[in-house]
Every structure is written in C-alpha cells, then in structure tokens.
Amino acid sequence: MCSWDSTLQKDSLDMEYEQNDDLLKLSHRETWKMQHERLHVKHRGHEAMHAEMVLILIATLVVAQIVLVQWKQRHCRSYNMVTLLQMWVVPLYFTIKLYWWRFLSTWGMFSVITSYVIFRATRKPLSCRTPRMVYKWFLLIYKLSYAVGVIGYLAIMFTMFGFNVFFRIKAEDSMDVGVIMLFYGLYYGVMGRDFAEICSDYMASTIGYYNTGGMPSRNLNDDVCAVCGQKIFVDVDEEGIIEDTYQLSCNHTFHEFCIRGWCIVGKKQTCPYCNEKVDLKRMMNNPWERTHVLYGQLLDWLRYLVAWQPIIIGVVHGINFSLGLE
C-alpha cells in the first residue's frame, strides 16, 4: 500500500514538473492567455459579486471627483502641492516594486537637476542669471516631453494601423515602445509645468516688481527685462540672432526666451512688471506654436489621472477587501 501511494505521489510530481516545463516553453503572450483563462474559471458564477464591485468603483470615482473639485476650488495651493507630491512619489513606488530601472534612472536625473534649479530659484537675493537658467531648463523639459509624447503617440498609431508588419516588428514590441514614450512625455511634461510654476512664483516675489495689490514696487528701465533683470540689446522691430524682443500690450519689453518661459512654461498670463493680463495670441505669430498651449492644457487635464487615479483604485481595493469581495 505504501509503495502504491509513493508511486502515485511520484507520478503526480512528474506531471507537475512536466506542466511547469511546458509553461516555461510558452511565450509571454501564451502564458498570459492561460492565466487569463484560469482566472475566468476561478470567478465563474460570481456575476453578482462582480456587479457589486463595479458599483463600488463607480461610486468611489464620483465621490472622489466631487471631493477633489471642491478641494481645488477652496484650497487650490494645498491641492496643487499634494498633487505634485503624488506625481513624484506614486510612480517611484511602482518603479521600485516592478523593477523599472530605466524609468528610475531618468526620474533620478530629473529630480537631481530640478532640485538644484528650485534651490537656485528660491535663494535670496536672487542672482541675475537664475531666471534665465530656470526657464531654459523647464523649457527644455517642456519641449523634450512634447516631442517624446508625440513620438509615442505616433508609434501607437503606427501599430494600430498595422504598419509594424512592413518593418517586421512585433505588435507588442512597437506598442510597448509607444506606450512607454507616451507615458514619459506626459509624466515629465506635467512635472515640469508644476515645478516651473513653483519657481516662477518664488522668483516673482523675489524680483518684486509688483506687490500683492498689483502695483509696481520698483522702477524698471526701458532697456531692462523684468524677468531676468538683464539689458535688452535687440529692438522690438529687429530680428535677433539668438532670440527676439517681445513687447506686450502694456508696452513693456522682454527677452523672447524670458517672456515665453514666464507665460507658457510658468503658466503666468500677466506682465511680470505691471501684472496686466497678457494676450498669448498676440505673442504667437507662428500657428504651429499654438499647439504647445493646447498641449499644456492637456497636461493640466491629465494631472488628475496620473496623480489621483492610483490612490482611488487603492481605496476601491480596500473597500472590496473590507467587504470580503474578491
């Protein structure tokens, strides 16, 4: 009897080893498909429980949206700070958990350089070269994230229309590249804009050309840029070699690089000197550049999805766990 039991146990172990060997021989897609089929078999007959989980998800999303909108309207500054912290910490958690070392390296480089830029922007007294350095860095991040996001989107469209077949590229490989690049572009675009706003707020208060009442507290010469404090050598009507000179509707003049960084990157639509409203359409004669403004609005809309969606899903999982739903 003992020998018969040992023989059965040995046969079952051999079958299990053979199944594991078969799983190792399967491709990643086939393994995922097999696991998906097992999941369907496991949850068969649980339709009522699944419907309850869907209702919990919808209710949580609605309540979370109402709470976030009210928070943003009543305490915008704290909402933006917490959102920025979420944007910075949540991807780091998933990166370490899932071993995404490539993203971790880019995240580390961005964090180190941006921390130095913020350190320079918050020093008092403010160095005359700091504003240009700050805006150049965030404008570079802005353009790179825009380009990477567009390339990622084109790669996704390239795969969806089947053009990858002509280049003998697997659909999952080209789709993975497109999704990763799109995520990189959106993530660093949002982070760059938020940090740029923090720096521009600090520098505006440090430069001190206008106070909280909107009146200038310092005198500005006609040949000095109010953003960087440096002289303007190119007239408004002249074409500069490196950059042009812009004149706003309030007749104050600025370096092109400075005022574009102030308005587009730092989301400031007021004159740095007199606090008058700035008409961005007058600044952008090139129609292709208007897409950058639309892209900035898209980043504002996606901030909710990137920063708060994982937290909301975590709350949903907690509710399901507490109710015994699987």
Side-chain angles (χ1 to χ4, degrees):
M1 187 70 179
C2 293
S3 61
W4 176 253
D5 292 339
S6 61
T7 304
L8 287 176
Q9 187 177 5
K10 183 178 179 181
D11 292 340
S12 63
L13 288 174
D14 291 338
M15 291 179 62
E16 185 177 350
Y17 287 139
E18 289 177 0
Q19 289 177 356
N20 291 333
D21 291 338
D22 293 338
L23 286 175
L24 291 174
K25 293 178 182 178
L26 294 175
S27 64
H28 177 72
R29 186 178 183 85
E30 291 171 339
T31 304
W32 176 85
K33 194 173 182 180
M34 185 176 294
Q35 292 174 350
H36 196 65
E37 290 175 355
R38 290 178 180 175
L39 190 65
H40 272 287
V41 173
K42 180 180 178 182
H43 290 278
R44 189 172 295 164
H46 298 167
E47 287 78 10
M49 183 177 66
H50 295 162
E52 186 178 353
M53 293 173 67
V54 171
L55 291 176
I56 291 174
L57 174 62
I58 295 174
T60 306
L61 288 173
V62 172
V63 172
Q65 183 68 27
I66 295 173
V67 171
L68 291 175
V69 169
Q70 292 297 318
W71 183 12
K72 185 176 181 180
Q73 291 178 351
R74 296 172 185 270
H75 307 282
C76 184
R77 187 176 182 85
S78 63
Y79 170 83
N80 290 334
M81 292 299 294
V82 174
T83 302
L84 182 59
L85 181 63
Q86 291 287 106
M87 290 285 297
W88 188 70
V89 173
V90 172
L92 177 63
Y93 167 76
F94 287 105
T95 297
I96 297 175
K97 183 179 180 180
L98 301 175
Y99 305 105
W100 293 342
W101 305 120
R102 183 172 22 186
F103 176 80
L104 185 61
S105 60
T106 58
W107 180 91
M109 292 175 57
F110 173 82
S111 299
V112 169
I113 299 176
T114 303
S115 299
Y116 174 73
V117 171
I118 294 175
F119 173 79
R120 291 286 302 273
T122 55
R123 295 304 93 192
K124 294 182 180 181
L126 187 70
S127 173
C128 60
R129 296 183 179 181
T130 299
R132 288 182 67 85
M133 179 199 71
V134 171
Y135 291 128
K136 281 182 179 180
W137 166 245
F138 286 116
L139 192 61
L140 174 64
I141 294 296
Y142 187 66
K143 290 182 177 181
L144 285 177
S145 64
Y146 181 80
V148 171
V150 169
I151 294 173
Y153 175 77
L154 292 177
I156 294 174
M157 293 295 103
F158 176 86
T159 306
M160 292 182 65
F161 285 105
F163 292 119
N164 57 293
V165 178
F166 297 103
F167 298 93
R168 296 181 179 179
I169 303 175
K170 293 182 179 180
E172 53 267 26
D173 293 339
S174 58
M175 183 64 74
D176 287 345
V177 171
V179 170
I180 290 173
M181 294 189 71
L182 183 61
F183 170 75
Y184 275 41
L186 293 176
Y187 176 75
Y188 289 112
V190 173
M191 292 288 286
R193 279 181 67 87
D194 286 350
F195 280 121
E197 183 174 15
I198 293 174
C199 290
S200 60
D201 285 340
Y202 270 104
M203 288 189 297
S205 61
T206 304
I207 292 173
Y209 281 112
Y210 62 84
N211 53 31
T212 56
M215 296 299 294
S217 57
R218 291 169 54 188
N219 185 31
L220 176 69
N221 296 328
D222 294 336
D223 59 345
V224 174
C225 174
V227 176
C228 67
Q230 300 295 306
K231 286 190 175 181
I232 298 175
F233 297 100
V234 181
D235 293 334
V236 177
D237 299 330
E238 296 180 0
E239 184 175 353
I241 299 176
I242 299 178
E243 61 180 346
D244 297 331
T245 300
Y246 268 93
Q247 186 176 41
L248 303 183
S249 55
C250 56
N251 295 326
H252 292 126
T253 56
F254 305 89
H255 294 123
E256 175 188 10
F257 225 54
C258 294
I259 196 61
R260 283 182 181 271
W262 177 271
C263 294
I264 301 174
V265 180
K267 296 191 288 186
K268 297 296 178 183
Q269 300 191 31
T270 55
C271 174
Y273 177 69
C274 65
N275 206 23
E276 184 175 320
K277 186 76 173 179
V278 174
D279 186 6
L280 291 179
K281 294 181 180 179
R282 287 191 57 190
M283 290 179 56
M284 300 179 185
N285 298 322
N286 186 356
W288 294 103
E289 292 188 23
R290 294 179 185 175
T291 57
H292 294 287
V293 179
L294 297 177
Y295 182 66
Q297 295 173 352
L298 174 64
L299 296 183
D300 291 337
W301 179 76
L302 287 173
R303 184 183 287 106
Y304 163 78
L305 297 178
V306 177
W308 293 105
Q309 200 70 11
I311 305 299
I312 296 173
I313 298 300
V315 172
V316 172
H317 280 298
I319 296 174
N320 292 334
F321 179 79
S322 63
L323 296 177
L325 302 175
E326 184 180 350

